[in-house]
Amino acid sequence: MKKTVTTLADGRELLYYDSRDDVVRDAVDRRPLDAVSTSSEIRRDPLLGDSVAIASHRQGRTYHPPADECPLCPSRDGRLSEIPDDQYDVVVFENRFPSLAGDSGRCEVVCFTSDHDASFAGLTEEQATLVLGAWTDRTAELAELPQVKQVFCFENRGAEIGVTLGHPHGQIYAYPFVTPRTELMLRSMEAHRERTGGNLFDDVVARELADGDRVVLTGEHWVAFVPYAAHWPYEVHLYPRRRVPDLRALDDAARTEFAQVYLELLRRFDRIFGPGEPPTPYIAAWHQAPFGVAGREEFGLHLELFTIRRTSGKLKFLAGSESGMSVFINDVPPEAAAQRLREVASE
């Protein structure tokens, strides 16, 4: 993997990740851009104890542009975009409309391919491995920023999820605090260790493998299963068999196999609801250990992949119980979801 660091016309950082070492990236951003101005701030909720990012400048962000005006496509035929070069493998750049900025953290955009009409599921194993390399590199660099406490790599896919740009891409949020979900995991991890002497993440994976009903697929280095108490209609957790706290700690064998396993999972997601159905909307979220917390080496890196579509043409809405009380009600039994995801395996 070759990495080239450059800057855009307004001073934001842009990084090219290429699979070939002989690629030269010297294109210049020729757009007349003003410096980015943000008003992001973090406010603490005194009742719940969590944090909210207030970012009013995001009201003006790009919203469902036509394909020929996509800001994530390469700059071609006289049309200038966020990527100055006329083609790329993987690109990461600072978000022009960040939720977090400065002392409040950092937000980045990850473009998986220059092909506007592609999807992550359609990438080759080499391309998917390159994306994993970019996620890992960004995790390592953002971990060095003094204000950053946790790095979150994720992909939102589909208009139903709220995606406003159709180009295949994801994001990276570098938070200045430990997120509420991770705080809950850390507390559960500590309570489990005190109660049993074991590691929570190891024991969860071992339980699912022993039970087998919710296992979707397994590899030599990865295992994917629907969790026992799945929140979402179709939800899969992907764990490396050798527990590590974050992406930086994966070994070469796990990195190589990741592309095979993850691409298969994404392709199965697109088959859940049968032929002729539109692509399945989903969120893919990497859970990594935060920095500077006690017991971070006990944390288990994993990816959570889920869709809000519960059946053909119907979405799972977060209504009163979910939004008002954070108590999820799942219409699809996890065992049935796992069975369906086994049935739609690629041939």
Side-chain angles (χ1 to χ4, degrees):
M1 179 178 77
K2 180 181 180 181
K3 174 183 172 183
T4 305
V5 182
T6 184
T7 55
L8 296 172
D10 54 11
R12 287 176 294 134
E13 190 174 37
L14 180 142
L15 307 97
Y16 293 96
Y17 293 90
D18 288 291
S19 57
R20 289 170 38 201
D21 291 335
D22 60 346
V23 176
V24 176
R25 299 294 185 186
D26 55 8
V28 176
D29 184 5
R30 295 182 285 110
R31 297 173 297 170
L33 298 180
D34 295 328
V36 173
S37 177
T38 65
S39 57
S40 177
E41 64 170 307
I42 304 297
R43 296 186 182 182
R44 190 78 170 170
D45 185 323
L47 296 183
L48 299 180
D50 59 8
S51 298
V52 177
I54 308 298
S56 60
H57 62 279
R58 284 175 53 80
Q59 287 280 38
R61 65 187 185 275
T62 308
Y63 187 80
H64 291 298
D68 60 357
E69 296 180 17
C70 174
L72 306 185
C73 286
S75 292
R76 290 176 182 162
D77 303 322
R79 191 185 67 80
L80 305 178
S81 73
E82 288 280 69
I83 296 90
D85 216 326
D86 62 0
Q87 59 80 30
Y88 61 84
D89 288 348
V90 175
V91 164
V92 177
F93 60 88
E94 287 184 78
N95 197 322
R96 193 176 180 186
F97 303 96
S99 303
L100 308 167
D103 293 339
S104 297
R106 177 163 162 141
C107 291
E108 298 181 341
V109 176
V110 184
C111 299
F112 304 139
T113 170
S114 59
D115 183 355
H116 180 86
D117 297 317
S119 67
F120 203 120
L123 299 182
T124 65
E125 291 182 11
E126 181 183 33
Q127 288 174 307
T129 300
L130 187 61
V131 174
L132 177 62
W135 283 332
T136 304
D137 180 75
R138 298 314 302 145
T139 297
E141 289 212 349
L142 293 170
E144 297 300 316
L145 297 180
Q147 72 270 37
V148 173
K149 297 295 184 288
Q150 185 173 359
V151 174
F152 177 45
C153 307
F154 64 101
E155 179 191 2
N156 297 330
R157 191 247 197 145
E160 300 94 329
I161 298 294
V163 174
T164 57
L165 296 176
H167 196 103
H169 73 288
Q171 300 180 66
I172 301 175
Y173 277 22
Y175 295 103
F177 51 80
V178 179
T179 62
R181 280 180 60 85
T182 304
E183 289 274 17
L184 289 174
M185 290 183 194
L186 292 171
R187 289 203 292 270
S188 296
M189 180 185 77
E190 177 62 21
H192 183 83
R193 185 185 62 78
E194 292 180 354
R195 185 174 63 254
T196 70
N199 179 275
L200 174 62
F201 298 96
D202 291 346
D203 291 350
V204 164
V205 173
R207 170 187 172 179
E208 294 297 345
L209 286 171
D211 186 294
D213 284 350
R214 291 173 297 278
V215 173
V216 175
L217 62 87
T218 61
E220 184 179 353
H221 304 284
W222 295 87
V223 56
F225 56 86
V226 178
Y228 175 75
H231 289 58
W232 299 96
Y234 291 91
E235 174 181 345
V236 176
H237 292 191
L238 177 62
Y239 278 80
R241 288 182 181 266
R242 181 180 70 87
R243 174 173 45 84
V244 295
D246 59 34
L247 290 167
R248 298 175 296 179
L250 289 173
D251 59 26
D252 289 342
R255 292 182 184 281
T256 299
E257 189 182 76
F258 167 77
Q260 305 164 17
V261 174
Y262 187 50
L263 290 173
E264 172 65 15
L265 275 180
L266 292 180
R267 290 162 187 163
R268 291 190 192 190
F269 256 57
D270 275 344
R271 294 188 178 97
I272 291 173
F273 303 104
E277 288 292 321
T280 301
Y282 65 74
I283 293 174
W286 279 108
H287 290 264
Q288 305 194 79
F291 312 119
V293 298
R296 81 175 304 272
E297 293 302 317
E298 296 181 44
F299 191 90
L301 167 77
H302 63 285
L303 182 142
E304 298 185 6
L305 173 68
F306 60 91
T307 180
I308 62 171
R309 185 179 292 164
R310 56 187 175 88
T311 189
S312 179
K314 297 179 181 179
L315 302 181
K316 165 65 177 177
F317 291 102
L318 299 189
S321 185
E322 292 89 354
S323 294
M325 282 296 179
S326 294
V327 177
F328 276 68
I329 301 168
N330 190 352
D331 299 328
V332 180
E335 293 75 18
Q339 176 62 32
R340 179 57 180 161
L341 286 162
R342 290 193 294 266
E343 291 172 350
V344 294
S346 298
E347 298 180 356

